[in-house]
Every structure is written in structure tokens, then in C-alpha cells.
Amino acid sequence: MATSKPITIDAYIAEFPEPVRKDLEAVRHTIRKLVPQADETISYGIPTFKLNGRNLVHFAGFKNHIGLYPTPVAAEAFKKELSAYKTGKGSVQFPLGVPMPLDLITRMVQYRLSQQMDAS
């Protein structure tokens, strides 16, 4: 029996065990507080915040980490601060079992917000 893919962030988060849900909700709340006007959606199968129809930031839950996808430009801008984490092109992995770096996530989302405002 095939399982359906979640179509809302609530449904996406509900699929995870409690410790992961807690971290996903913390990341979601942090982003929502910064950009309450952003639309929440699922894009590329993961939670996404969109502003003015454009992707602002994605995040996702995994077995051992929470992934944040702030774009390659934002990841490069915070390269020094992200050096303690596993990163990829435009992504960072925050391990489970330790406090989420919500201050760093806040600053990265603010950076993305300023990029989008400058591009408007």
C-alpha cells in the first residue's frame, strides 16, 4: 500500500517521532516569527516558506538531523559559523539530540529575507 506524501507542513511534521517533531516545530516557529507573511507549503517534498511567490527557505527532518536549505549564497555567507556542521551546496545539517541553533537559523533567514527584498 503506497503512502501519500504530506501536503501541509503540519502533516509532514506529524510523520516524525516526538524528538524530531519538537526540533522541526522549533525551526518552523523561528521562521514563522521572522516572516509571518510568508506562505507555508511543501515544495520538493519538504516544508518550504515562500515569500511573494518565491522560495525563501526549506527545512526537513531526517533520522539523525534537521536539514536547513537557505540557498547556496546564504550558506556561503555563513560559512564560518556553519563550519561546525555538515554542509552541502546550499544546505546544512543540524544534528538531533543537541539544541537547535535557533539564533543562527534566525540570522540566516533574515539574510534570505534581505536578499529577496533587494531583488524586488
Side-chain angles (χ1 to χ4, degrees), residues 17-28:
E18 179 56 34
V20 181
R21 280 197 312 263
K22 184 179 174 183
D23 286 340
L24 288 169
E25 284 292 0
V27 171
R28 179 189 193 183

Side-chain angles (χ1 to χ4, degrees), residues 1-8 10-16 42 45-46:
M1 183 168 134
T3 59
S4 61
K5 293 182 179 180
I7 58 170
T8 67
D10 286 329
Y12 178 91
I13 291 173
E15 294 182 345
F16 288 88
I42 298 291
I46 60 175

